[in-house]
């Protein structure tokens, strides 16, 4: 099972993203900014990082550069979450080592698609939700 670190300054957004990732079969931990996340990565390097672009203390872009400079920091897949639709921002993040990006807001199906595109293996059940599971 893959471990994902969710980084966002909003507790509500972290809770929502953690819930989606858990539905997809991943274990999760969270941090409210890039500085706290780097500390978490030092203690336990995740397989995947879902990081917000705009945060106080240390933003997602600064975190990404610092992560990639760490020993084993090139290993995690990094998905940048943003409300920015500016191609320049996205290109800059991909050039600095982000594996994928996702536009906020998103749902669990969009997240699953982006994670698979980034090379994160999801359990077969998580990849294909059963349309009859809700009793229809």
């Amino acid at each position: 099972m893959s471990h994902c670190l969710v980084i966002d300054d909003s507790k509500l957004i972290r809770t929502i993203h953690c819930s989606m990732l858990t539905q997809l079969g991943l274990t999760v931990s969270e941090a409210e900014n890039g500085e706290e996340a780097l500390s978490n990565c030092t203690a336990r390097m995740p397989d995947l990082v879902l990081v917000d672009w705009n945060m106080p203390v240390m933003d997602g872009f600064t975190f990404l550069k610092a992560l990639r400079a760490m020993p084993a920091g090139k290993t995690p897949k990094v998905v940048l979450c943003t409300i920015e639709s500016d191609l320049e921002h996205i290109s800059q993040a991909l050039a600095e080592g982000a594996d994928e990006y996702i536009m906020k807001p998103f749902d669990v199906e969009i997240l699953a698609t982006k994670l698979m595109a980034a090379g994160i293996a999801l359990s077969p059940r998580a990849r294909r939700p059963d349309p009859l599971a809700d009793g229809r």
Side-chain angles (χ1 to χ4, degrees):
M1 181 179 295
S2 295
H3 171 242
C4 180
L5 176 60
V6 176
I7 313 165
D8 198 294
D9 56 314
S10 167
K11 176 64 177 163
L12 176 61
I13 296 298
R14 287 195 315 271
T15 300
I16 292 167
H17 292 174
C18 287
S19 175
M20 285 188 222
L21 291 159
T22 300
Q23 287 177 49
L24 294 174
L26 287 85
T27 59
V28 294
S29 58
E30 54 187 89
E32 68 177 281
N33 61 60
E35 188 174 281
E36 182 183 332
L38 284 176
S39 178
N40 289 1
C41 289
T42 300
R44 178 183 181 197
M45 190 62 72
D47 303 300
L48 168 68
V49 177
L50 195 66
V51 59
D52 185 27
W53 180 279
N54 296 309
M55 295 178 290
V57 182
M58 180 186 288
D59 64 28
F61 186 70
T62 305
F63 164 80
L64 175 62
K65 288 170 50 173
L67 173 70
R68 293 305 192 208
M70 293 175 71
K74 295 196 185 322
T75 304
K77 298 292 185 176
V78 176
V79 178
L80 183 73
C81 301
T82 182
I83 58 170
E84 303 286 337
S85 60
D86 180 13
L87 186 58
E88 183 179 330
H89 282 99
I90 294 166
S91 296
Q92 182 183 15
L94 294 172
E96 288 293 335
D99 296 286
E100 214 20 280
Y101 70 92
I102 191 167
M103 302 297 295
K104 288 181 182 179
F106 52 85
D107 62 21
V108 71
E109 291 172 8
I110 293 169
L111 179 58
T113 300
K114 287 291 187 172
L115 295 182
M116 287 187 289
I120 297 295
L122 302 176
S123 68
R125 185 157 179 83
R127 283 188 298 225
R128 293 189 193 140
D130 183 354
L132 302 177
D134 65 358
R136 289 186 203 171

